[in-house]
Amino acid sequence: FPSHDNIDVIIKESEILEARVKDLLYLNKLNFLKNRERNFSPIHINDLIVEQVERFSPLQQEIEWIVELEPYELNGDYEQMVAVIQNLIVNAKRYAKNKIIIRGKYLIDEKEQMIQKDVTGQKSRYDLEIWNDGSFIDEDVIEKIFAPYYMGKDGEHGLGLTIVQQILTWHGFAITAQNRDQGVAFVIKF
C-alpha cells in the first residue's frame, strides 16, 4: 500500500498540474480573444484592487498591506483585469517578507504622450505599482520574467506573468518589473 507521504506528494503534484493546465487554457483563450472584437467596459481599478486585497490579505496576516490609490477608471475587460491584479498580488505575497504596497497615481505627461485625461482634463498617465519588500530580482532575470514558462526561484508555473503581460498589451497598456526601495515593483502604465 502507498504511504500517506506518497499520497500527499501525488495530491500536491496533481494540484500543480491542474493549475498549469488552467493557466495554459487561459493563455490559449487570450490568444483566441485577441483576434475577436473587444468587449470593453468602464472599470474602476481602485474598486477592483481593494476587492482583491480584501480577498488575499487575510491569508497572510504577517504581511503589512498599504494601499494608496488615486481614483482611476479604465476601459477594459473586467475578467481579464481581475486576472492581472490577482496574479500580481499572488506574486507579491509569495515574495514579500513583511510589506506590500499598492500605489496608483497620475503622472503629468509634459511630452503630450498621454493615454487618458484625468478628472481635471489635464493630460496625464496613471501608473499602478505593486511593490513588495522581497529580494531583488537578478538583472538578467528581469529581462526574461514575462517569458512563457520562465519561473523565478519560488515560481509555480511560469505562466502568470506571461498572462499579465499579454492582457495588458492587448488593452494597450505596459508593465515593467523593477528593483527599487529594497524590494521589487511591478509597474503598470495605463
Side-chain angles (χ1 to χ4, degrees), residues 12-123:
K12 177 129 178 92
E13 290 300 314
S14 67
E15 289 170 351
I16 290 170
L17 284 172
E18 179 183 7
R20 182 171 283 176
V21 167
K22 285 180 182 176
D23 283 346
L24 283 169
L25 289 171
Y26 194 74
L27 200 54
N28 283 332
K29 177 182 173 184
L30 288 175
N31 287 328
F32 173 75
L33 289 175
K34 73 180 173 185
N35 296 320
R36 298 270 198 205
E37 184 178 324
R38 296 178 181 185
N39 189 19
F40 287 0
S41 59
I43 300 169
H44 294 276
I45 196 72
N46 310 63
D47 296 340
L48 188 152
I49 291 167
V50 169
E51 287 170 10
Q52 298 309 310
V53 168
E54 287 174 353
R55 177 178 176 204
F56 287 103
S57 61
L59 302 175
Q60 242 175 330
Q61 294 181 357
E62 66 277 6
I63 300 293
E64 177 186 3
W65 293 77
I66 299 172
V67 179
E68 300 170 344
L69 301 167
E70 293 179 13
Y72 184 72
E73 183 178 283
L74 62 89
N75 209 22
D77 181 292
Y78 184 79
E79 174 189 326
Q80 291 179 7
M81 292 311 295
V82 167
V84 165
I85 301 305
Q86 283 180 350
N87 269 300
L88 293 174
I89 287 176
V90 166
N91 261 15
K93 281 181 22 165
R94 184 177 303 130
Y95 294 102
K97 295 175 188 167
N98 301 303
K99 186 185 289 189
I100 294 172
I101 300 174
I102 301 174
R103 184 175 289 130
K105 62 184 175 184
Y106 285 96
L107 302 174
I108 301 301
D109 188 348
E110 295 172 10
K111 295 179 184 173
E112 304 215 340
Q113 297 174 350
M114 69 112 192
I115 305 242
Q116 302 251 341
K117 288 187 178 184
D118 69 12
V119 291
T120 67
Q122 216 172 14
K123 294 179 180 181

